[in-house]
């Protein structure tokens, strides 16, 4: 395997913001009287903000909502989420993650981010990790979210590599699907290690260094 670049998902791989997404969506759902639990929250991983809202609205049984109202709900959720993200600091990223990214750079391997989140840069700034990435591909530069490969294909392009020269590190099934359909090597961590489509499974972030 001659991997020249690594593309990392953000939530669930580099940082753990699931709990903040949950709290923010839960506040919005409670106010609307919509049933929402952690199991539904799990379905939102890797999915864009507006698609996430549609999944939550599967449990909404009131009058049809206008597009305007939906945008208002998603904006409300994002405001709550951003306030929660404000509490993040450098301590929210482990030394293991920082050291592994450093080691990749030292080996001459390119490092990119491939996240569906429009808040990706903000999060990386909060945890002081923006400099560790050669390029950022996120929710602001895509029209289709995972399992569509767009976010990863763009990330590969940003670091001037072919998709086949890149490995994607993902914790979500939809992200593994996106990597495979984008013709990339799919490395699973966390939840995604239960997925057969992954090419390689790791239990610890530093095991990435065994691949290259
Ligand atoms: C992904 C998360 O990283 O970003 C999803 O896994 C989230 O749960 C998506 O819905 C969009 O995030 P944001 O920050 O643009 O609302
Ligand atoms: Mg993830």
């Amino acid at each position: 395997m001659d991997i020249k670049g690594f593309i990392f998902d953000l939530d669930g791989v580099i940082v753990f913001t699931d709990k903040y997404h949950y709290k923010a969506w839960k506040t919005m759902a409670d106010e609307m009287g919509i049933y929402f639990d952690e199991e539904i929250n799990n379905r939102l991983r890797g999915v864009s903000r507006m698609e996430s809202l549609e999944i939550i609205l599967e449990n909404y049984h009131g009058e049809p909502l206008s597009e305007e109202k939906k945008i208002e709900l998603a904006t409300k959720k994002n405001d709550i989420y951003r306030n929660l993200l404000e509490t993040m600091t450098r301590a929210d990223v482990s030394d293991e993650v920082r050291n592994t990214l450093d080691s990749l750079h030292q080996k001459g391997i390119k490092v990119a981010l491939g996240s569906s989140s429009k808040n990706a840069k903000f999060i990386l700034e909060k945890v002081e990790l923006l400099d560790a990435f050669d390029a950022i591909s996120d929710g602001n530069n895509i029209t289709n979210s995972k399992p569509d490969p767009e976010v990863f294909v763009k990330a590969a392009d940003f670091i001037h590599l072919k998709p086949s020269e890149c490995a994607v590190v993902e914790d979500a099934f939809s992200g593994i699907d996106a990597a495979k359909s984008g013709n990339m090597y799919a490395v699973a961590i966390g939840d995604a290690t239960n997925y057969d489509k992954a090419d390689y499974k790791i239990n610890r972030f530093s095991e990435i260094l065994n691949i290259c």
Side-chain angles (χ1 to χ4, degrees):
M1 273 252 81
D2 188 18
I3 292 169
K4 297 191 172 128
F6 271 87
I7 302 170
F8 293 93
D9 172 48
L10 180 61
D11 292 333
V13 175
I14 305 277
V15 293
F16 298 88
T17 51
D18 255 25
K19 53 186 182 296
Y20 301 137
H21 279 298
Y22 177 74
K23 260 194 177 175
W25 281 128
K26 179 78 178 148
T27 306
M28 188 283 293
D30 283 353
E31 277 177 24
M32 291 287 291
I34 303 169
Y35 179 77
F36 180 65
D37 62 16
E38 304 233 8
E39 209 176 310
I40 302 169
N41 194 54
N42 280 343
R43 288 175 57 204
L44 311 182
R45 265 195 255 141
V47 176
S48 74
R49 195 180 308 161
M50 291 311 285
E51 286 167 322
S52 297
L53 177 65
E54 291 298 339
I55 291 173
I56 291 167
L57 291 179
E58 287 170 10
N59 285 302
Y60 170 75
H61 307 296
E63 291 293 308
L65 299 175
S66 65
E67 270 318 296
E68 238 178 13
K69 180 69 185 170
K70 286 182 185 177
I71 290 168
E72 185 191 311
L73 293 175
T75 304
K76 181 183 199 128
K77 179 265 174 178
N78 194 51
D79 290 345
I80 301 167
Y81 180 58
R82 291 276 291 213
N83 272 332
L84 293 167
L85 292 179
E86 283 287 358
T87 64
M88 292 185 88
T89 65
R90 189 179 170 85
D92 283 294
V93 171
S94 66
D95 285 344
E96 181 176 352
V97 167
R98 287 182 198 279
N99 294 339
T100 304
L101 296 179
D102 275 355
S103 301
L104 290 176
H105 280 297
Q106 277 157 23
K107 284 170 179 256
I109 289 170
K110 291 267 196 258
V111 174
L113 191 82
S115 165
S116 307
S117 174
K118 291 186 171 172
N119 293 302
K121 262 195 189 151
F122 179 69
I123 295 170
L124 289 179
E125 274 165 15
K126 292 298 297 177
V127 299
E128 298 176 25
L129 203 64
L130 198 53
D131 290 350
F133 292 88
D134 298 304
I136 309 280
S137 175
D138 65 16
N140 297 296
N141 62 256
I142 54 168
T143 41
N144 305 299
S145 62
K146 302 165 189 176
D148 190 286
E150 186 180 3
V151 75
F152 295 143
V153 171
K154 291 226 165 104
D157 190 41
F158 292 164
I159 49 175
H160 310 295
L161 293 174
K162 291 184 212 140
S164 58
E165 295 172 321
C166 297
V168 165
V169 185
E170 256 293 348
D171 72 309
F173 283 38
S174 62
I176 297 291
D177 283 335
K180 291 317 296 170
S181 64
N183 195 27
M184 296 167 191
Y185 190 70
V187 181
I189 192 166
D191 221 36
T193 56
N194 297 311
Y195 197 22
D196 291 345
K197 264 182 94 176
D199 295 308
Y200 195 84
K201 298 176 180 181
I202 56 175
N203 294 313
R204 298 189 60 90
F205 194 87
S206 54
E207 287 171 39
I208 284 163
L209 299 173
N210 299 337
I211 307 169
C212 52

